[in-house]
């Protein structure tokens, strides 16, 4: 358990360091584009509302960290997703659905982490007999 906690903390620290580190070039580009933005475009980042089985742990304009629980038989809606890191607290068998109709069975292993790049569209279903619990770190 101590190993699991330290692994999780390292993952969170690394993610936050990545999220908050900026290069001078990015700052210059942001300053340049800020001049061109109207007040409506310059509004603060709004994340979608959390689902009933999620708890928001941290949220700002760069990153959102949530703890989620997926009940047996629960299926997420088909959506295009941003870049993210998922840490599985309690994994299990999962079925993945793709927009072209293809499906894939996979096993979410407990105490592991995965990185998913931006742009993938899919839906997932907990096909196991117990809850799946995980930490979802969405990156802007």
């Amino acid at each position: 358990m101590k190993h699991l906690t330290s692994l999780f903390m390292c993952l969170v620290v690394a993610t936050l360091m990545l999220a908050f580190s900026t290069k001078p070039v990015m700052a210059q580009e942001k300053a340049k584009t800020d001049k061109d933005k109207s007040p409506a475009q310059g509004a603060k980042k709004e994340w979608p509302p959390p689902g009933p089985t999620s708890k928001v742990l941290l949220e700002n304009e760069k990153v959102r960290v949530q703890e989620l629980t997926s009940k047996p038989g629960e299926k997420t809606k088909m959506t295009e997703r941003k870049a993210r890191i998922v840490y599985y607290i309690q994994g299990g068998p999962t079925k993945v659905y793709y927009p072209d109709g293809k499906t894939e069975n996979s096993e979410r292993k407990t105490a592991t982490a995965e990185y998913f790049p931006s742009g993938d569209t899919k839906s997932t279903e907990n096909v196991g007999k117990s809850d799946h619990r995980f930490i979802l770190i969405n990156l802007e």
Side-chain angles (χ1 to χ4, degrees), residues 41-53:
Q41 290 175 327
K44 189 176 177 182
K45 164 72 177 160
E46 291 292 326
W47 295 96
T53 61

PDB file of all heavy atoms in Angstrom, residues 41-53:
ATOM      1  N   GLN A  41     -13.789  35.363 -25.943  1.00  0.00           N
ATOM      2  CA  GLN A  41     -12.801  34.334 -26.213  1.00  0.00           C
ATOM      3  C   GLN A  41     -11.792  34.201 -25.075  1.00  0.00           C
ATOM      4  O   GLN A  41     -11.217  33.162 -24.882  1.00  0.00           O
ATOM      5  CB  GLN A  41     -12.040  34.642 -27.499  1.00  0.00           C
ATOM      6  CG  GLN A  41     -12.889  34.497 -28.738  1.00  0.00           C
ATOM      7  CD  GLN A  41     -12.135  34.924 -29.980  1.00  0.00           C
ATOM      8  OE1 GLN A  41     -11.308  35.837 -29.935  1.00  0.00           O
ATOM      9  NE2 GLN A  41     -12.404  34.274 -31.091  1.00  0.00           N
ATOM     10  N   GLY A  42     -11.574  35.245 -24.328  1.00  0.00           N
ATOM     11  CA  GLY A  42     -10.584  35.232 -23.262  1.00  0.00           C
ATOM     12  C   GLY A  42     -11.123  34.681 -21.956  1.00  0.00           C
ATOM     13  O   GLY A  42     -10.464  34.751 -20.940  1.00  0.00           O
ATOM     14  N   ALA A  43     -12.318  34.137 -21.982  1.00  0.00           N
ATOM     15  CA  ALA A  43     -12.938  33.620 -20.762  1.00  0.00           C
ATOM     16  C   ALA A  43     -12.138  32.454 -20.195  1.00  0.00           C
ATOM     17  O   ALA A  43     -11.451  31.734 -20.919  1.00  0.00           O
ATOM     18  CB  ALA A  43     -14.371  33.189 -21.050  1.00  0.00           C
ATOM     19  N   LYS A  44     -12.274  32.242 -18.894  1.00  0.00           N
ATOM     20  CA  LYS A  44     -11.587  31.166 -18.195  1.00  0.00           C
ATOM     21  C   LYS A  44     -12.056  29.806 -18.702  1.00  0.00           C
ATOM     22  O   LYS A  44     -13.211  29.629 -19.064  1.00  0.00           O
ATOM     23  CB  LYS A  44     -11.885  31.284 -16.697  1.00  0.00           C
ATOM     24  CG  LYS A  44     -11.072  30.355 -15.843  1.00  0.00           C
ATOM     25  CD  LYS A  44     -11.365  30.598 -14.379  1.00  0.00           C
ATOM     26  CE  LYS A  44     -10.601  29.601 -13.534  1.00  0.00           C
ATOM     27  NZ  LYS A  44     -10.893  29.761 -12.137  1.00  0.00           N
ATOM     28  N   LYS A  45     -11.150  28.819 -18.718  1.00  0.00           N
ATOM     29  CA  LYS A  45     -11.463  27.463 -19.175  1.00  0.00           C
ATOM     30  C   LYS A  45     -12.575  26.872 -18.329  1.00  0.00           C
ATOM     31  O   LYS A  45     -12.515  26.890 -17.113  1.00  0.00           O
ATOM     32  CB  LYS A  45     -10.198  26.595 -19.089  1.00  0.00           C
ATOM     33  CG  LYS A  45     -10.426  25.101 -19.149  1.00  0.00           C
ATOM     34  CD  LYS A  45     -10.819  24.648 -20.516  1.00  0.00           C
ATOM     35  CE  LYS A  45     -10.970  23.135 -20.526  1.00  0.00           C
ATOM     36  NZ  LYS A  45     -11.732  22.654 -21.594  1.00  0.00           N
ATOM     37  N   GLU A  46     -13.597  26.360 -18.998  1.00  0.00           N
ATOM     38  CA  GLU A  46     -14.712  25.703 -18.316  1.00  0.00           C
ATOM     39  C   GLU A  46     -14.672  24.221 -18.638  1.00  0.00           C
ATOM     40  O   GLU A  46     -14.772  23.827 -19.794  1.00  0.00           O
ATOM     41  CB  GLU A  46     -16.050  26.298 -18.770  1.00  0.00           C
ATOM     42  CG  GLU A  46     -16.285  27.712 -18.306  1.00  0.00           C
ATOM     43  CD  GLU A  46     -16.484  27.842 -16.812  1.00  0.00           C
ATOM     44  OE1 GLU A  46     -17.055  26.925 -16.205  1.00  0.00           O
ATOM     45  OE2 GLU A  46     -16.053  28.857 -16.256  1.00  0.00           O
ATOM     46  N   TRP A  47     -14.512  23.395 -17.628  1.00  0.00           N
ATOM     47  CA  TRP A  47     -14.560  21.945 -17.801  1.00  0.00           C
ATOM     48  C   TRP A  47     -16.015  21.503 -17.780  1.00  0.00           C
ATOM     49  O   TRP A  47     -16.851  22.142 -17.156  1.00  0.00           O
ATOM     50  CB  TRP A  47     -13.791  21.262 -16.665  1.00  0.00           C
ATOM     51  CG  TRP A  47     -12.326  21.545 -16.671  1.00  0.00           C
ATOM     52  CD1 TRP A  47     -11.681  22.502 -15.940  1.00  0.00           C
ATOM     53  CD2 TRP A  47     -11.314  20.891 -17.434  1.00  0.00           C
ATOM     54  NE1 TRP A  47     -10.342  22.473 -16.202  1.00  0.00           N
ATOM     55  CE2 TRP A  47     -10.084  21.489 -17.115  1.00  0.00           C
ATOM     56  CE3 TRP A  47     -11.343  19.858 -18.356  1.00  0.00           C
ATOM     57  CZ2 TRP A  47      -8.875  21.082 -17.679  1.00  0.00           C
ATOM     58  CZ3 TRP A  47     -10.130  19.447 -18.913  1.00  0.00           C
ATOM     59  CH2 TRP A  47      -8.927  20.064 -18.586  1.00  0.00           C
ATOM     60  N   PRO A  48     -16.318  20.390 -18.451  1.00  0.00           N
ATOM     61  CA  PRO A  48     -17.693  19.893 -18.378  1.00  0.00           C
ATOM     62  C   PRO A  48     -18.052  19.512 -16.945  1.00  0.00           C
ATOM     63  O   PRO A  48     -17.167  19.179 -16.155  1.00  0.00           O
ATOM     64  CB  PRO A  48     -17.691  18.661 -19.285  1.00  0.00           C
ATOM     65  CG  PRO A  48     -16.304  18.447 -19.733  1.00  0.00           C
ATOM     66  CD  PRO A  48     -15.456  19.576 -19.265  1.00  0.00           C
ATOM     67  N   PRO A  49     -19.319  19.553 -16.594  1.00  0.00           N
ATOM     68  CA  PRO A  49     -19.691  19.202 -15.217  1.00  0.00           C
ATOM     69  C   PRO A  49     -19.320  17.751 -14.909  1.00  0.00           C
ATOM     70  O   PRO A  49     -19.432  16.884 -15.781  1.00  0.00           O
ATOM     71  CB  PRO A  49     -21.202  19.402 -15.171  1.00  0.00           C
ATOM     72  CG  PRO A  49     -21.646  19.524 -16.579  1.00  0.00           C
ATOM     73  CD  PRO A  49     -20.467  19.885 -17.415  1.00  0.00           C
ATOM     74  N   PRO A  50     -18.850  17.476 -13.682  1.00  0.00           N
ATOM     75  CA  PRO A  50     -18.482  16.100 -13.332  1.00  0.00           C
ATOM     76  C   PRO A  50     -19.713  15.207 -13.263  1.00  0.00           C
ATOM     77  O   PRO A  50     -20.814  15.662 -12.966  1.00  0.00           O
ATOM     78  CB  PRO A  50     -17.820  16.238 -11.962  1.00  0.00           C
ATOM     79  CG  PRO A  50     -18.338  17.510 -11.407  1.00  0.00           C
ATOM     80  CD  PRO A  50     -18.653  18.398 -12.580  1.00  0.00           C
ATOM     81  N   GLY A  51     -19.507  13.934 -13.541  1.00  0.00           N
ATOM     82  CA  GLY A  51     -20.600  12.966 -13.473  1.00  0.00           C
ATOM     83  C   GLY A  51     -20.948  12.615 -12.037  1.00  0.00           C
ATOM     84  O   GLY A  51     -20.247  13.012 -11.099  1.00  0.00           O
ATOM     85  N   PRO A  52     -22.016  11.854 -11.853  1.00  0.00           N
ATOM     86  CA  PRO A  52     -22.474  11.515 -10.499  1.00  0.00           C
ATOM     87  C   PRO A  52     -21.514  10.595  -9.736  1.00  0.00           C
ATOM     88  O   PRO A  52     -21.549  10.558  -8.519  1.00  0.00           O
ATOM     89  CB  PRO A  52     -23.818  10.827 -10.736  1.00  0.00           C
ATOM     90  CG  PRO A  52     -23.768  10.350 -12.142  1.00  0.00           C
ATOM     91  CD  PRO A  52     -22.885  11.307 -12.879  1.00  0.00           C
ATOM     92  N   THR A  53     -20.639   9.882 -10.457  1.00  0.00           N
ATOM     93  CA  THR A  53     -19.714   8.970  -9.782  1.00  0.00           C
ATOM     94  C   THR A  53     -18.289   9.525  -9.762  1.00  0.00           C
ATOM     95  O   THR A  53     -17.342   8.781  -9.585  1.00  0.00           O
ATOM     96  CB  THR A  53     -19.710   7.581 -10.451  1.00  0.00           C
ATOM     97  OG1 THR A  53     -19.284   7.730 -11.816  1.00  0.00           O
ATOM     98  CG2 THR A  53     -21.088   6.941 -10.395  1.00  0.00           C
TER      99      THR A  53
END
